Amino acid sequence: MLKAKNSLGLILFPAFDWRISPTHPEREERLLYTIDQIEEEGLFDYENIKIYNPEMIESKYIEMTHFCIPAISSIVTVSHKIAAGSAITIAKKVLSKEVEKGFALIRPPGHHAHRITYGDKGFCIINNEAIMVEYLRKEYKIKKIAIIDTDCHHGDGTQDIFWNDKDVLFISLHQDGTTLYPGTGFTDEIGGPSAIGYTLNLPLPPYTSDEGFLYCLDNLIIPVLEEFKPDIIINSAGQDNHYSDPLTNMNFSAQGYAKLTEKLSPNISVLEGGYSIESALPYVNLGIIFALAGIDYSNIKEPDYNPEKLKQSQRITDYIKRLCEHVYSIWKSKEESEYKIKMANQDYYVRKKSIYYDTMGFRENQLEKIKICKKCSGLILIDSLCLGYRVLAIVIPHDACNDCENEGHKLFENTEVGDYSHILLQDKKSFELFRKTS
């Protein structure tokens, strides 16, 4: 029997009962062609590549990540619960050392789902990686986690959830938001007042090729990871940077994805986007699997692969070099920037957000206030308006001091339901959700 260099766990969940429409690009065929390719390449014959069954998630982990409006049961389907549960399952297999690496090939995706979620946004309702992080913190006491998002679309939901959390380093490598949904992910989006510099964005110009992506990895992402020293690295492994993807404008290849995966060496990869169902996904997924398992991937190439045709311009190369230098300077000056932000916002750091749910065609308006606290990362208050609901969401962070914890509970107890449809308190310290509804 064949043996790979690294033991690798896989979960394959195509979610047959979930699709936005029969012809929508986010449908079950995204994984069916990949499964055929895996069988054809004989990966099931490797003794240390193990296939695990998908599993359902417990609602408490969703509740500790999201505020689902009007309720989890109203917007989260069985398929979404299984996708999130499967990400947790693969994490458990890695943390228990059954396997060295894990790859959850699952759908529906999740990285556009924000802390508050009213439904489908960017094909996402709940955030699989963010829920996994909450699980790892609660059950395995993992302290420092890095999420590297290599989807072509900015991981705005993951960014939102960990915006003020310096124990989670979030780096997103994506097509420039001026040219692609969701229109976010610019270099000045660097985190909340207690986590300045722990959100880093690399908005890349259209037609960036393997060269540009790997330059970012070598010259920014890996140096930052070496300094951050995470206990675990998660790759939000979107594959819509591929040159054949119908929704994007990049020139990344299966070889490029495999090299990126080998260099990044994530503990856990979770499939996000990627909509070139026949021309890209089978080859890219195979390249990622081979790289994670330590198998030679040099022959994993698309039938029409032509590196000369995909080569990026000198203008793009020069821009990416300047971009990496700029973003690295943000990382290096994060303590100074945090001090300035806190001095300029003595009591609360406030931001207004307008969030468009493109799949469903409605908009949410938020006012978010983060308490400037010298003892912890600070209480978070969110006033959200959408679909006739008005929500007060209160978040007591993991590291909450007694003052912020008490203030959060008092606010929840003293706020009248009549002013809101939902008053919700997410106490991450005690791992409990408190709810009042009109």
Side-chain angles (χ1 to χ4, degrees), residues 230-406:
D231 299 313
I232 194 165
I233 299 172
I234 299 166
N235 178 205
S236 293
Q239 299 171 18
D240 41 9
N241 284 299
H242 194 268
Y243 62 82
S244 68
D245 197 277
L247 303 185
T248 63
N249 310 100
M250 298 301 239
N251 279 338
F252 211 25
S253 70
Q255 278 290 298
Y257 272 104
K259 289 173 185 174
L260 183 147
T261 303
E262 180 181 37
K263 288 187 172 193
L264 180 62
S265 189
N267 303 95
I268 301 161
S269 295
V270 180
L271 178 64
E272 281 293 338
Y275 308 100
S276 179
I277 291 172
E278 295 182 60
S279 301
L281 285 171
Y283 306 100
V284 175
N285 279 320
L286 205 61
I288 292 172
I289 291 168
F290 272 48
L292 288 170
I295 303 170
D296 177 22
Y297 55 76
S298 59
N299 292 321
I300 306 297
K301 297 174 184 176
E302 307 86 341
D304 63 345
Y305 175 61
N306 183 342
E308 283 302 312
K309 185 179 177 182
L310 300 173
K311 192 172 182 180
Q312 69 190 30
S313 69
Q314 187 62 44
R315 178 185 61 81
I316 291 176
T317 299
D318 294 342
Y319 171 83
I320 290 174
K321 182 178 180 180
R322 294 193 302 271
L323 175 67
C324 287
E325 289 171 354
H326 173 60
V327 175
Y328 191 60
S329 72
I330 292 171
W331 167 255
K332 297 300 285 185
S333 62
K334 58 187 181 297
E335 286 83 8
E336 179 185 352
S337 299
E338 181 178 321
Y339 174 78
K340 289 179 179 178
I341 289 286
K342 287 185 173 180
M343 289 301 293
N345 300 269
Q346 292 292 315
D347 298 316
Y348 282 91
Y349 170 92
V350 180
R351 61 175 181 157
K352 292 181 179 180
K353 295 185 288 179
S354 180
I355 302 163
Y356 183 61
Y357 285 72
D358 60 313
T359 311
M360 303 181 78
F362 57 78
R363 186 173 295 278
E364 174 197 2
N365 291 303
Q366 281 190 18
L367 178 67
E368 179 186 77
K369 297 170 68 178
I370 302 174
K371 185 178 179 181
I372 304 296
C373 182
K374 294 180 180 179
K375 300 176 184 177
C376 71
S377 58
L379 187 69
I380 300 172
L381 312 175
I382 306 171
D383 194 326
S384 170
L385 288 167
C386 186
L387 295 176
Y389 298 107
R390 186 181 179 196
V391 177
L392 174 61
I394 306 164
V395 182
I396 296 172
H398 293 274
D399 65 341
C401 64
N402 289 337
D403 289 344
C404 284
E405 186 176 16
N406 291 334

Side-chain angles (χ1 to χ4, degrees), residues 218-232:
D218 291 336
N219 294 278
L220 178 82
I221 296 173
I222 289 176
V224 169
L225 286 172
E226 288 173 349
E227 293 175 37
F228 180 66
K229 296 180 173 57
D231 299 313
I232 194 165

